[in-house]
Amino acid sequence: MAGEDVPAAAAGRAELTALLEVSQIAGLPVPDAGTTARMYAVVTVTVQRTAGRAVGPPADAGEPPRHAVVFLIDHSSSMVSPPARMAAARDAAAAAVHALPDGTRFAVVAGRDRASAVYPVPSQAGPGSGVMAVADDATRRGAEEALRACHPGGGTAIGSWLAYARKLFARLPGDGTGFVCHALLLTDGRNEPGYETPEDLAGHLADCVDEFTCDAVGIGDAWATEELLLITGRLHGTAHAVERLDLLTEELRTLTREAADRTLTGLRLRLYGRTGVELTSIGQVHPTRQDLRTVAESPCVREFATAPWGEETRSYLLSLSVSHDDEPPGSEQMLTEVELARDEAARPTVALPPSEAVLVRWSGDHGLYSRVHPTVGHYLHQEELVRVFEEGCAALRTRNPETARRAFGRAWRLACQVGDDAMKEHLAKLITPGDDGEAELLDRIRPFDIEAARIRTSRTVWHR
């Protein structure tokens, strides 16, 4: 079982401990003949420092941190309009570099219609460091100076920037094996057809999956929501929209620090199959909404990859379709067994929990269809929030204000229900909610406010 990944005698020496919890209401009414029943469950995984271990560097802290970062900073022509945008981007990127822990491998890349090294250039990288610098006081200062000396110009081809980052990571010692690799993308624009097509971007993303994670930050108002969400969705990152340039530095600094804390790699979510049970869907629903990629599959077992972990909690929503095999009311059936598994070469050590079961208890009470576990209901409501919000956006694009008004009003009520204060702030820039639960569209709605809210829907709030 996965809980045996760290033997009991050695579990106390594990640096991290993983916890596993399944939230569901197991009772379902017996379905009609020839039909199936639907079971929802939320699987929550928490990684925390093992009790009794001191907070601080792990036991093997004598080794340099196995962490690598590539900063992809937009240097296309649009970054000079207004001039303060490029200055803010340089300040923010420099602050992010200075937030890197000592020993981190890093590079700064200028993104135009093709990517080019800002720091280090190959002659500056130093003996044994390939094409990436090792973070210390001198290299951080060098990167900041190089950023301020780099000039914008040219077009935008974001996929080529990601491909450049992939090449840098591949040239780390040991071809990057054992490194936690992360890219931080900052852009004010979108791919230009003359330089890169949607098919080009999709191809670059396919090559980068599982090679590194990527957070993306859009500034200004000309970036494309679909591109940022596609990039961060495929590369297990988060998308952010920053309107005020004075907030950009703290945004990049925070993202850099959070990425540096994610040192646990190779954790997989494993589901065991059962006859008569079909996995209808599975996806991460907290802290971000993301699809999961299958990395192993057989008639009995499916495994899904997860991105590197820090000390954090993530939740996954399962939907299972269940056939009824003449079990009498009151009987119990295991639908799947959920456990955490681990790549053998992954580090650091982690104590894994016992597996958890997703069950069904058959009943003759058809009123059970209306019963949903509070945690399941919380995330189903957030999924509905995204759906109705997108309906409102589509209605605005087709000049159907009445449909948009109703959809945004429903999104407001759902945001109140799940406690998503950040989404309420975004919606308040689109509608005026009324005490009667209805809403009115504002007379003037900025495109940025719509797109920033769409970016926000990729993140969720925790169910407490």
Side-chain angles (χ1 to χ4, degrees):
M1 304 295 290
E4 299 171 356
D5 182 77
V6 177
R13 297 193 297 273
E15 297 169 13
L16 299 169
T17 296
L19 307 175
L20 180 65
E21 179 184 2
V22 170
S23 301
Q24 65 164 140
I25 289 180
L28 279 181
V30 174
D32 295 332
T35 64
T36 59
R38 179 68 58 86
M39 173 61 72
Y40 290 100
V42 169
V43 176
T44 300
V45 179
T46 298
V47 172
Q48 61 188 28
R49 191 165 298 279
T50 300
R53 289 192 62 92
V55 175
D60 58 349
E63 298 181 9
R66 307 289 282 179
H67 183 59
V69 182
V70 174
F71 297 97
L72 301 171
I73 310 301
D74 194 332
H75 276 69
S76 61
S77 298
S78 60
M79 287 291 288
V80 298
S81 180
R85 184 176 297 168
M86 191 72 248
R90 288 170 177 157
D91 289 343
V97 168
H98 282 284
L100 292 171
D102 284 347
T104 303
R105 303 295 177 109
F106 79 98
V108 181
V109 173
R112 303 181 181 89
D113 44 277
R114 61 182 180 86
S116 60
V118 174
Y119 186 88
V121 296
S123 61
Q124 296 172 329
S129 59
V131 289
M132 300 183 78
V134 180
D136 58 26
D137 289 343
T139 57
R140 284 187 283 257
R141 286 194 303 271
E144 181 174 2
E145 292 169 0
L147 267 166
R148 301 195 186 285
C150 188
H151 299 290
T156 303
I158 298 175
S160 69
W161 310 354
L162 298 169
Y164 192 93
R166 178 172 175 263
K167 291 178 181 179
L168 292 178
F169 290 131
R171 295 175 67 180
L172 286 164
D175 297 329
T177 301
F179 281 84
V180 181
C181 298
H182 179 74
L184 181 53
L185 166 66
L186 171 67
T187 183
D188 77 331
R190 63 187 71 200
N191 276 348
E192 299 175 55
Y195 298 114
E196 187 168 281
T197 66
E199 293 74 20
D200 293 332
L201 176 58
H204 289 308
L205 285 171
D207 292 337
C208 295
V209 169
D210 290 342
E211 298 294 323
F212 59 92
T213 58
C214 181
D215 292 325
V217 178
I219 58 175
D221 58 6
W223 41 268
T225 302
E226 290 78 7
E227 286 180 355
L228 296 191
L229 292 179
L230 175 64
I231 290 166
T232 56
R234 293 297 306 275
L235 302 184
H236 297 286
T238 57
H240 303 261
V242 179
E243 182 177 22
R244 289 174 48 189
L245 294 178
D246 60 312
L247 299 179
L248 186 59
T249 291
E250 187 56 33
E251 188 78 38
L252 264 61
R253 184 189 288 122
T254 297
L255 290 172
T256 300
R257 288 172 174 164
E258 289 176 349
D261 288 338
R262 297 190 183 107
T263 58
L264 175 62
T265 61
L267 205 58
R268 295 182 175 187
L269 196 64
R270 177 183 291 165
L271 301 182
Y272 288 91
R274 293 289 187 274
T275 302
V277 180
E278 179 186 354
L279 178 62
T280 307
S281 63
I282 179 173
Q284 181 178 298
V285 289
H286 181 76
T288 56
R289 299 170 59 254
Q290 291 187 347
D291 295 331
L292 293 181
R293 191 176 69 84
T294 303
V295 290
E297 185 171 8
S298 72
C300 298
V301 179
R302 290 182 69 178
E303 290 187 0
F304 300 89
T306 67
W309 291 72
E311 292 187 76
E312 59 183 304
T313 295
R314 301 178 192 171
S315 294
Y316 307 89
L317 180 64
L318 309 184
S319 173
L320 301 164
S321 179
V322 190
S323 299
H324 182 253
D325 294 328
D326 297 324
E327 291 88 351
S331 62
E332 188 173 272
Q333 179 182 351
M334 180 184 288
L335 303 183
T336 187
E337 190 176 4
V338 184
E339 69 179 13
L340 297 178
R342 188 74 193 283
D343 290 346
E344 292 182 1
R347 60 187 295 273
T349 56
V350 60
L352 297 181
S355 60
E356 294 284 341
V358 179
L359 306 172
V360 63
R361 297 186 188 93
W362 295 112
S363 171
D365 180 6
H366 283 266
L368 290 178
Y369 274 126
S370 63
R371 294 182 62 199
V372 177
H373 190 282
T375 301
V376 173
H378 175 82
Y379 291 115
L380 287 175
H381 283 140
Q382 294 202 56
E383 293 295 295
E384 185 183 0
L385 192 162
V386 175
R387 180 181 61 78
V388 298
F389 180 77
E390 286 295 335
E391 287 178 2
C393 293
L396 284 183
R397 287 193 292 270
T398 57
R399 293 180 171 80
N400 188 339
E402 179 59 24
T403 299
R405 182 190 68 79
R406 290 196 302 268
F408 290 151
R410 174 62 177 158
W412 173 271
R413 294 190 291 275
L414 286 166
C416 293
Q417 187 170 350
V418 301
D420 193 340
D421 292 337
M423 191 62 190
K424 288 169 61 179
E425 289 182 12
H426 284 290
L427 286 166
K429 298 176 181 178
L430 311 178
I431 58 171
T432 301
D435 295 335
D436 58 357
E438 295 298 315
E440 295 297 330
L441 287 177
L442 297 181
D443 293 335
R444 181 177 180 272
I445 296 176
R446 298 187 308 162
F448 175 88
D449 291 327
I450 298 173
E451 299 309 311
R454 294 182 66 202
I455 290 288
R456 169 63 207 178
T457 61
S458 66
R459 301 196 292 281
T460 61
V461 294
W462 171 245
H463 180 246
R464 300 187 183 279

